[in-house]
Amino acid sequence: MIVVKIGGASGVNLDAVCRDAAELIRQGQAITIVHGGSAETNEISTQLGHPPRFLTSVSGFTSRYTDRETLEIFAMVTSGKINTLLVERLQRYGVNAFGLSGVDGRVMVAKRKDTVRIIENGRQRIIRDDYTGKVEQVNAALLNQLIAAGLTPVIAPLAISPEGEALNIDADRAAAMVAGALKAEAVIFLTNVPGLLRHYPDDTSLIPTIDKAKVEASLSFAEGRMKKKVLGACEALELGVARIVFADGRIDQPLQGALAGRGTVIS
Ligand code: ADP
């Protein structure tokens, strides 16, 4: 099993990814896909008159402020549009893809951060209506049943809380949790850069390999959203996944390339 995370940032060549996935699946490789949708959610929520807002926590992390209306738009965009069209594309290449979000069958159960302490205009404030969570449990039995039935799961980044609320979750860290639960041999994070760059945005500063004992040190190279990916990589390693690749999703055969060592390989 390999888990593939498809980024929400624009630039990933979905056609190349799906064609490559189809070829690997024909060769007998099991694949589970987790996708994001942040860029498209920003666009559509703006069109709907509810533009994105971001929170900066006291510890300095930035995240989407997901009030109930934003959650509903996020579900519409990720679980509705992106997921369905990804499944459509895979089906076109002969993969019997099965779309779902973590809400379906409690595939991902997450803990809601019921209060978020933020910094706004230099002052601390508490936010209580944020529907964001961190995945704590993955229903591997259900995913394994789908896989055993010859289906390829395609998972949108929503989870369910123990209280039964849908939550926005980080797709990179969700991919790590899914990989751990499925005992995947590798996780491939496809994005719109060649891999982890020592001097972002200089493409020639690609870090080709990282020893798994030293991943946390590479957090210092990552800016913004790339930090979440490195965190995801650390979590996947802790869960026993042997190999993580940050790979370019804009090229031809991005998955076969990643498996052959193209990108940043952490092992
Ligand atoms: P996705 O939505 O595809 O998951 P993100 O936008 O979350 O992707 O993260 C990838 C982005 O992280 C890149 O497009 C790049 O702008 C940014 N980034 C920040 N620091 C680095 C770095 N050191 N190496 C590579 N990319 C970086």
Side-chain angles (χ1 to χ4, degrees):
M1 169 62 65
I2 60 174
V3 171
V4 176
K5 153 74 187 358
I6 302 180
S10 42
V12 172
N13 182 347
L14 292 179
D15 217 50
V17 176
C18 292
R19 213 177 319 127
D20 204 16
E23 179 153 354
L24 285 170
I25 290 166
R26 264 194 300 277
Q27 292 168 12
Q29 175 68 61
I31 295 182
T32 293
I33 294 173
V34 178
H35 64 84
S38 52
E40 206 156 341
T41 299
N42 292 349
E43 247 171 65
I44 294 182
S45 59
T46 304
Q47 286 169 15
L48 291 172
H50 195 72
R53 284 176 292 171
F54 293 90
L55 302 175
T56 304
S57 70
V58 284
S59 46
F61 274 99
T62 302
S63 64
R64 177 187 300 281
Y65 175 28
T66 310
D67 58 6
R68 182 69 200 183
E69 195 174 340
T70 303
L71 176 81
E72 290 179 11
I73 296 170
F74 186 75
M76 182 175 91
V77 173
T78 59
S79 194
K81 184 181 175 189
I82 297 176
N83 192 276
T84 305
L85 299 190
L86 203 47
V87 170
E88 177 195 36
R89 210 185 281 262
L90 286 160
Q91 291 285 352
R92 205 181 297 149
Y93 286 114
V95 175
N96 199 0
F98 187 101
L100 72 166
S101 85
V103 174
D104 298 289
R106 307 180 81 77
V107 156
M108 294 191 283
V109 178
K111 187 174 180 330
R112 180 175 169 203
K113 298 170 194 147
D114 42 6
T115 56
V116 189
R117 196 178 288 275
I118 63 154
I119 300 278
E120 197 175 55
N121 304 323
R123 292 171 60 178
Q124 284 201 19
R125 195 157 81 81
I126 292 196
I127 299 278
R128 293 182 197 279
D129 63 341
D130 187 55
Y131 290 90
T132 303
K134 184 175 176 301
V135 177
E136 296 202 317
Q137 239 178 299
V138 173
N139 186 345
L142 177 52
L143 291 174
N144 282 325
Q145 274 181 312
L146 295 175
I147 294 156
L151 299 162
T152 296
V154 178
I155 309 174
L158 289 156
I160 187 90
S161 72
E163 295 77 25
E165 300 155 314
L167 300 173
N168 164 8
I169 54 162
D170 179 69
D172 290 322
R173 299 175 76 182
M177 290 295 288
V178 167
L182 294 180
K183 304 189 181 356
E185 65 208 64
V187 188
I188 300 174
F189 291 98
L190 290 176
T191 183
N192 60 353
V193 281
L196 184 63
L197 306 174
R198 188 175 295 272
H199 308 291
Y200 174 75
D202 174 8
D203 273 14
T204 63
S205 67
L206 174 73
I207 303 171
T209 55
I210 301 175
D211 185 297
K212 71 176 180 186
K214 297 184 186 134
V215 207
E216 270 171 62
S218 45
L219 257 180
S220 61
F221 304 124
E223 287 169 45
R225 298 243 331 123
M226 199 69 192
K227 269 198 194 319
K228 293 252 173 92
K229 260 180 246 300
V230 178
L231 272 179
C234 293
E235 284 166 358
L237 289 168
E238 274 163 30
L239 294 169
V241 179
R243 190 156 47 129
I244 322 286
V245 190
F246 295 134
D248 199 332
R250 300 166 301 181
I251 61 172
D252 238 23
Q253 300 195 311
L255 301 176
Q256 297 192 60
L259 291 173
R262 204 165 159 178
T264 299
V265 181
I266 306 171
S267 60

